[in-house]
Amino acid sequence: MDTGIKGYAETTVNESNIAASVGSGLLDVFSTPSMIALIEQAAASSVSPYLEAGQGTVGMRLEVDHLAPTPLGEKVWAETELIAIEKRILTFQVTAYSEKEKIGEGIHKRCIILNDRFLEKMNAKYN
């Protein structure tokens, strides 16, 4: 895996991803948690073809500014670019857009994991 890998994910603002529905506010606008999920989807899917069998990635840090509101019915999308690899830590430059403007930007870090080992460790804590 090398830096420069780009990711993309899109959705339409609807009743399931507005602030009033996800508990992050009272307005019918694209929610910050939904924008974050879209960014994570773009980043995770961009690197998944480069992982070995049994590996995955998990989000571990997100520093994002939500710059502008987006109303119901508008298309929104996230673009990511892998800008650094430090052992198992992947760092992405991330940007989110509506059809009118940039709505978010920041940095996202993901960690490469062994899926089974990750789940075993978690289950050991909770069982």
Side-chain angles (χ1 to χ4, degrees):
M1 183 179 320
D2 294 311
T3 58
I5 296 169
K6 296 184 188 249
Y8 179 89
E10 73 175 54
T11 193
T12 301
V13 181
N14 60 56
E15 292 292 332
S16 70
N17 60 23
I18 57 174
S21 294
V22 302
S24 68
L26 301 175
L27 302 178
D28 293 345
V29 296
F30 192 52
S31 73
T32 302
S34 297
M35 183 180 74
I36 288 170
L38 192 65
I39 287 168
E40 288 207 72
Q41 178 186 356
S45 64
S46 74
V47 295
S48 65
Y50 302 93
L51 300 174
E52 296 176 13
Q55 286 184 325
T57 63
V58 292
M60 58 181 286
R61 186 176 183 91
L62 198 58
E63 296 177 38
V64 175
D65 294 319
H66 196 162
L67 304 171
T70 309
L72 284 162
E74 290 291 312
K75 179 175 124 177
V76 290
W77 66 93
E79 297 177 359
T80 63
E81 182 176 358
L82 181 59
I83 59 170
I85 303 168
E86 300 170 35
K87 298 184 182 180
R88 297 183 306 129
I89 308 302
L90 309 175
T91 303
F92 298 85
Q93 180 72 45
V94 300
T95 312
Y97 298 93
S98 73
E99 295 178 277
K100 303 274 187 227
E101 61 194 328
K102 182 192 309 184
I103 62 169
E105 64 185 359
I107 297 290
H108 175 41
K109 292 185 182 246
R110 299 188 71 75
C111 182
I112 298 172
I113 58 155
L114 295 173
N115 295 327
D116 290 342
R117 184 171 169 212
F118 183 87
L119 292 174
E120 286 171 9
K121 287 173 78 174
M122 181 200 63
N123 288 332
K125 290 179 188 177
Y126 289 93
N127 290 328

